[in-house]
Amino acid sequence: MRIEIPREVERFGPVQIHDVQKVWELDAGLKLKELEPKEKERRVITRISYESLQDIQEQMAIVVPIKDEKIKLLEGVLAGIPHECLVILVSNSKREPVDRYKIEMDALNHMSKFMKKDIFIAHQKDPLLAQACKDAGYEYILDDKGEVRSGKAEGMILSTILAYLCGKKYIGFIDSDNYFPGAVYEYVQEYSAALYSAKSDYSMVRIAWHSKPKIVESSLFFAKRGRASEHTNKVLNMLMSSYTGYGTEIIKTGNAGEHAMSMDLALNIDYSSGYSIEPYHYINVLERFGGVIDSPSADVMKQGIQFFQIESRNPHLHEVKGDEHVKSMSREAMEVIYRSPLCPDHLKQEILIDLYNRGLLKEGEEMPETVRYYPALTKVNMLKFKQALAKASFAEFLKADLSKYKHKNGKKKLARETVKSKDHLPDPHEQLEIK
Ligand code: GDP
Ligand code: CO
């Protein structure tokens, strides 16, 4: 892959957010050629050889969350994931009246006769997983009935623990409703390219898809950004600039469902529920490590956190889930920004006005509390989680070497609990000191 280096970087304490990077060649050849001297002159472009991408993929789990999607779509998605990645399908599909999960398992069995992949499937409501959460001291994602809650985020959290137990160093997410296997393949290559280039062990890459095809007046139109994204990005950027004192448009992937990160980062951030999980990555990293609030871990602060945003070449086409879906997703995204202890009052006002204008809240209505927050996975006792899954159908995949693992029941509380009042915050208009 040949990729341009980021033109801009926005800093927020030790957090670096890199500008969108453009891909110039999807495949840039084998490693041997890396020695060509003329390559060195073109420093604005990085060439990442096929072997280097593969090295990363051998250490990467790709999680595919699925809820009642068409099996044909899933089949395409699985076909697109590069061979070296371990695939974890986490399903919350209906079991009644039609057992859609069983259909998924059958389809997977059938497909695996033809495709050679390391792959397993787990159901989010499997009592074994709920038991594992209990045993491991991570009951936060369980509901009153003791089952894992529904929601994409909850599925992602479970699969992050599973990926850790499989011994993976990186974790990437690919939605199961993507129409183009070629796009899926490209996203994983881009995850690998960015994580290969990362200088910090705490890194995340997010896809800014190039375009989204739509039919407008009976011809194809390639829209640049989704409807919800524009608003989320704008507000996230306003939040950044209220601390740095400079206007910015750096964040272009506020709602990116397609993203990957190092396991070190995945274990060290808090999560929020449902579809708010993606914008909350930015918020939580800024809260925990931005240096404004909280007492973050020394190693993360020293190495810094790097966000990469890569513009994919394939158009992005997924299932149309309707207006209501986009609305609730957008409202949840706004809610996590609004609730952040970092969010200054003037931005809260702007968020409310924006929601009123778009009809997502009634005029004068307060921000409803719909989003839940989950603490970082350092709270999970991984040994106990693994023990509880000894009889799971996928137990053979959980082969991480835990011989040196020590559970430190992190005393760290959620960032929002540590801030008792706004008084703990510096004046948001004061420029943040860059360490
Ligand atoms: P959008 O693409 O962000 O508009 O949202 P989608 O509704 O397409 O959801 C993204 C992905 O998450 C899809 O692959 C869904 O099948 C999957 N998904 C949605 N809800 C859940 C859930 O409760 N649990 C799991 N495991 N996956 C879910
Ligand atoms: Co979708």
Side-chain angles (χ1 to χ4, degrees):
M1 180 157 285
R2 207 178 289 268
I3 223 167
E4 70 177 14
I5 60 166
R7 280 156 203 256
E8 307 266 353
V9 53
E10 200 75 61
R11 290 166 210 276
F12 196 104
V15 182
Q16 294 180 359
I17 301 178
H18 294 92
D19 204 355
V20 168
Q21 293 168 256
K22 190 166 166 172
V23 174
W24 287 95
E25 257 189 331
L26 284 173
D27 183 337
L30 296 173
K31 200 160 202 162
L32 266 180
K33 295 183 187 152
E34 222 151 1
L35 300 172
E36 280 177 24
K38 68 175 183 216
E39 288 296 328
K40 297 216 171 84
E41 292 159 27
R42 284 190 250 146
R43 287 278 160 87
V44 291
I45 301 281
T46 320
R47 194 179 82 94
I48 299 140
S49 71
Y50 184 79
E51 291 96 320
S52 307
L53 296 177
Q54 190 166 326
D55 272 354
I56 300 286
Q57 286 160 12
E58 281 170 10
Q59 307 173 68
M60 184 183 278
I62 292 293
V63 170
V64 181
I66 179 165
K67 187 176 177 223
D68 306 326
E69 303 288 355
K70 294 179 187 139
I71 298 293
K72 282 264 184 290
L73 286 180
L74 174 67
E75 190 182 320
V77 166
L78 295 182
I81 300 174
H83 175 76
E84 300 297 339
C85 305
L86 165 73
V87 184
I88 304 179
L89 261 167
V90 57
S91 171
N92 190 23
S93 299
K94 288 196 200 82
R95 309 294 311 257
E96 280 168 5
V98 179
D99 191 346
R100 293 205 53 96
Y101 178 60
K102 186 167 176 293
I103 299 177
E104 286 160 12
M105 285 195 296
D106 284 349
L108 201 64
N109 279 336
H110 180 73
M111 280 182 253
S112 48
K113 292 187 188 126
F114 297 87
M115 48 172 91
K116 177 113 186 58
K117 261 196 197 332
D118 272 344
I119 182 163
F120 70 85
I121 183 166
H123 198 277
Q124 200 162 325
K125 304 282 180 185
D126 183 341
L128 269 181
L129 285 168
Q131 189 59 44
C133 289
K134 265 191 214 132
D135 293 356
Y138 198 82
E139 290 173 322
Y140 311 95
I141 55 171
L142 305 182
D143 62 15
D144 304 339
K145 289 188 279 174
E147 286 182 346
V148 173
R149 287 177 193 279
S150 290
K152 185 185 174 196
E154 291 73 0
M156 287 165 64
I157 292 170
L158 277 181
S159 42
T160 305
I161 304 173
L162 294 177
Y164 175 87
L165 290 176
C166 294
K168 295 295 164 181
K169 198 173 163 201
Y170 303 103
I171 181 165
F173 299 90
I174 296 279
D175 286 352
S176 53
D177 63 340
N178 197 313
Y179 273 92
F180 296 150
V184 169
Y185 176 77
E186 183 190 351
Y187 298 153
V188 180
Q189 297 294 81
E190 282 154 359
Y191 295 166
S192 318
L195 293 169
Y196 176 80
S197 330
K199 302 266 187 311
S200 164
D201 290 339
Y202 305 92
S203 300
M204 179 181 302
V205 42
R206 304 166 73 93
I207 302 295
W209 26 262
H210 176 262
S211 60
K212 205 169 181 170
K214 283 184 182 155
I215 308 281
V216 178
E217 290 178 2
S218 73
S219 63
L220 259 186
F221 172 74
F222 290 89
K224 191 81 186 160
R225 301 260 175 264
R227 287 170 290 173
S229 304
E230 249 166 66
H231 294 270
T232 312
N233 292 339
K234 192 175 107 196
V235 177
L236 283 172
N237 284 319
M238 282 161 79
L239 178 72
M240 291 273 296
S241 41
S242 65
Y243 283 90
T244 59
Y246 288 88
T248 180
E249 289 182 0
I250 197 90
I251 297 180
K252 297 190 178 74
T253 54
N255 285 330
E258 265 64 41
H259 64 275
M261 56 189 140
S262 59
M263 190 53 79
D264 286 335
L265 182 61
L267 295 179
N268 276 291
I269 52 177
D270 304 321
Y271 293 100
S272 66
S273 61
Y275 291 102
S276 68
I277 186 166
E278 282 106 9
Y280 188 63
H281 288 141
Y282 277 118
I283 296 286
N284 186 250
V285 166
L286 296 177
E287 284 175 2
R288 285 188 86 143
F289 309 113
V292 183
I293 46 172
D294 218 51
S295 51
S297 113
D299 186 49
V300 187
M301 294 303 270
K302 208 163 89 197
Q303 289 206 42
I305 297 100
Q306 294 188 303
F307 281 97
F308 297 93
Q309 308 180 84
I310 305 217
E311 185 175 83
S312 58
R313 286 279 172 177
N314 276 280
H316 185 79
L317 186 64
H318 63 149
E319 270 293 77
V320 178
K321 306 250 161 85
D323 262 4
E324 279 313 307
H325 168 71
V326 178
K327 281 183 183 165
S328 69
M329 184 165 358
S330 190
R331 213 203 42 68
E332 283 178 21
M334 292 297 157
E335 184 180 335
V336 283
I337 309 175
Y338 183 94
R339 296 218 180 283
S340 170
L342 288 180
C343 188
D345 285 340
H346 71 92
L347 190 54
K348 288 189 177 177
Q349 283 312 311
E350 299 224 22
I351 292 173
L352 286 177
I353 292 168
D354 177 62
L355 291 175
Y356 300 152
N357 287 344
R358 288 194 285 150
L360 300 186
L361 277 189
K362 284 199 206 80
E363 194 79 34
E365 198 181 332
E366 279 184 31
M367 181 67 84
E369 277 189 46
T370 61
V371 170
R372 289 169 183 280
Y373 295 93
Y374 304 122
L377 300 177
T378 41
K379 294 248 184 195
V380 179
N381 184 327
M382 294 291 183
L383 279 172
K384 293 204 171 147
F385 202 98
K386 186 179 168 187
Q387 274 162 15
L389 295 178
K391 294 216 167 76
S393 56
F394 48 83
E396 60 176 306
F397 287 94
L398 311 179
K399 48 191 173 201
D401 176 12
L402 297 180
S403 56
K404 294 201 185 84
Y405 175 82
K406 272 206 190 73
H407 180 57
K408 300 182 276 246
N409 193 0
K411 290 198 190 71
K412 221 172 148 323
K413 286 184 180 166
L414 277 177
R416 66 209 55 265
E417 292 166 26
T418 59
V419 180
K420 294 277 183 309
S421 81
K422 301 202 293 291
D423 305 341
H424 293 246
L425 295 179
D427 178 352
H429 296 288
E430 213 169 85
Q431 198 183 332
L432 188 78
E433 190 191 333
I434 295 180
K435 286 167 202 138

